[in-house]
Amino acid sequence: MPSPLPRLRAALTVLVMAVAAVLSAPPPAAHAAVALTRVTGFGSNPGQLSMYVHRPASLPASPPVVVALHGCTQNAQVYADHSGLPDMAARAGFLLVLAEQQASNNLNKCFNWFRTSDSRRGQGEAASIRQMVAHAVATFGADPRRVYVTGLSAGGAMTSVMLAAYPDVFTAGAVVAGVPYDCARDVASAYSCMNPGVDLSPAQWAQRVRDAHPAWTGPWPRVAVWQGDRDTTVVPRNADELRDQWTAVHGLSPTPTRTSVIGPDSTRHEEYAAADGTVAVEVNRVPAIGHGTPVDPGTGPAQCGSTAAAYFLDSICSSHWITAFFGLTEPGGGQTPPPGPGDGTASCWTGSNYHHVQAGRATTSGGSVLAKGSQQSMGPYNTFVVHTLKESPAGYFTLADGACP
């Protein structure tokens, strides 16, 4: 009977070679880091935060500003690398400002949204973020009339702070897995606010926003809410309380004007429209995800982000829809649909009044917008009011909100 030792030696040799090949192989290609520039000397910085800026290669004159606030345990670079916001900045042409928390302020690097010393106008971290905006306007020539803010979790809660404390600065904001303004005033109440949540009447919530800047009477920022329906860290109840807070601030009913589904996962999309048709508040309830920023990796016009880090969840590209809510891109991905054939077939176009005018589908008259051809009034000339226009015949546009095929 032959000895088994040669076979054993041969097997061991193959195993060693295989392990060596694995160890010597180059690592997988890493997700390319987004280029960020740290900015110092942007103000007195009472909250001791760090400021970073991402400038797309092609940035128009007087660009809008979007402020991004990361979640706990994250930093500015991680949020930039995975949220998809830099992709949106390139597509829409805005300056991206990222605030970063320091471990010396909070061991988990959470923004201190629950401390009155950091969540009131003119104080602490809120004042530092405000100074970042002022610096962006003064240094980079950004448009002070188009300033927006968004953030995740603690960054989402701090987004609520900025919208309430500085309604004169921020045109709109998007709260991702966050909580209403002034929901908590210490650590213990912060946890209760997150889970199981705090139930106040819409009027009570709205009063807390008004008390943040008593001299301000409006206009109030528009607010988008994003919430995973399986979130056990910041429970879905907070989306309802945020809705109650901001619809009441805008004097609207908490019953949606219209509902639909968006994205590849059929996210439930609720809109709360003002009398002029402006969507003042929207709530997006994302199915089958927990706590994090919804992203949809890919190269499609409505895709963005990466899941290669904690709290970035494969679902829908929330940054794409947030940018559209801000009025900086078209909801369909910034792509202009082709004209309809010249045989009487109608083409439908959805976008802000600003985009309709820029695309030649509408004209302006005394600050108002008129549909080209029908001359129907579409409201003020800005990026906030969104309408659907039907083109039939070619060059003749009529209002067709909710009625366009």
Side-chain angles (χ1 to χ4, degrees), residues 3-403:
S3 170
L5 288 178
R7 292 183 180 178
L8 180 59
R9 290 193 188 99
L12 287 173
T13 300
V14 171
L15 178 60
V16 170
M17 292 176 64
V19 171
V22 170
L23 293 177
S24 62
H31 182 79
V34 172
L36 298 182
T37 301
R38 183 166 183 176
V39 178
T40 58
F42 58 85
S44 60
N45 193 15
Q48 295 300 299
L49 302 178
S50 296
M51 175 182 177
Y52 292 85
V53 169
H54 172 71
R55 300 179 68 183
S58 298
L59 196 64
S62 300
V65 177
V66 174
V67 178
L69 307 174
H70 63 77
C72 297
T73 74
Q74 297 178 335
N75 57 33
Q77 188 69 61
V78 166
Y79 206 62
D81 287 347
H82 301 289
S83 66
L85 285 169
D87 294 335
M88 297 302 108
R91 296 178 196 177
F94 62 77
L95 183 72
L96 181 61
V97 173
L98 300 106
E100 183 177 275
Q101 180 61 288
Q102 307 301 310
S104 56
N105 291 337
N106 186 296
L107 286 177
N108 288 322
K109 298 193 72 176
C110 308
F111 290 101
N112 290 308
W113 56 273
F114 48 85
R115 292 181 179 171
T116 55
S117 58
D118 284 307
S119 62
R120 297 298 185 264
R121 185 179 175 90
Q123 298 182 32
E125 293 172 14
S128 290
I129 296 169
R130 169 64 182 100
Q131 290 176 359
M132 293 179 194
V133 172
H135 184 84
V137 170
T139 304
F140 300 102
D143 187 349
R145 300 166 300 176
R146 294 188 293 162
V147 179
Y148 311 89
V149 60
T150 184
L152 164 68
S153 192
M158 187 57 81
T159 295
S160 293
V161 168
M162 300 311 297
L163 294 172
Y166 295 99
D168 51 334
V169 173
F170 294 96
T171 299
V175 180
V176 183
V179 298
Y181 172 69
D182 203 18
C183 186
R185 298 177 184 180
D186 53 41
V187 174
S189 59
Y191 282 110
S192 297
C193 179
M194 292 158 56
N195 188 350
V198 174
D199 184 21
L200 296 181
S201 70
Q204 289 173 313
W205 280 128
Q207 190 58 51
R208 296 192 178 195
V209 170
R210 296 189 185 101
D211 289 344
H213 187 15
W216 186 255
T217 58
W220 296 99
R222 300 165 57 246
V223 181
V225 178
W226 285 80
Q227 178 69 51
D229 69 358
R230 296 184 184 176
D231 193 339
T232 57
T233 302
V234 177
V235 296
R237 178 182 192 174
N238 282 290
D240 295 330
E241 303 302 322
L242 275 162
R243 172 205 61 201
D244 289 351
Q245 183 167 63
W246 287 100
T247 53
V249 166
H250 282 275
L252 303 175
S253 166
T255 301
T257 307
R258 50 186 171 266
T259 62
S260 59
V261 293
I262 59 173
D265 60 353
S266 296
T267 288
R268 180 178 173 85
H269 179 68
E270 303 168 359
E271 295 178 301
Y272 302 81
D276 65 356
T278 305
V279 178
V281 179
E282 69 171 34
V283 178
N284 301 278
R285 305 179 192 273
V286 187
I289 69 165
H291 190 66
T293 298
V295 296
D296 183 16
T299 58
Q303 290 184 294
C304 71
S306 166
T307 59
Y311 306 115
F312 297 95
L313 310 176
D314 193 355
S315 180
I316 179 176
C317 174
S318 56
S319 292
H320 160 75
W321 292 97
I322 286 169
T323 305
F325 175 77
F326 290 165
L328 303 179
T329 60
E330 301 285 353
Q335 304 297 314
T336 302
D343 58 1
T345 302
S347 295
C348 297
W349 315 75
T350 299
S352 69
N353 279 354
Y354 172 83
H355 286 107
H356 283 310
V357 171
Q358 295 300 308
R361 298 186 289 268
T363 59
T364 60
S365 176
S368 297
V369 176
L370 304 175
K372 186 175 289 186
S374 69
Q375 296 298 297
Q376 290 175 303
S377 177
M378 298 167 59
Y381 179 45
N382 58 37
T383 59
F384 316 137
V385 180
V386 176
H387 285 298
T388 296
L389 293 177
K390 181 169 68 175
E391 183 181 11
S392 181
Y396 189 93
F397 298 88
T398 56
L399 280 169
D401 294 334

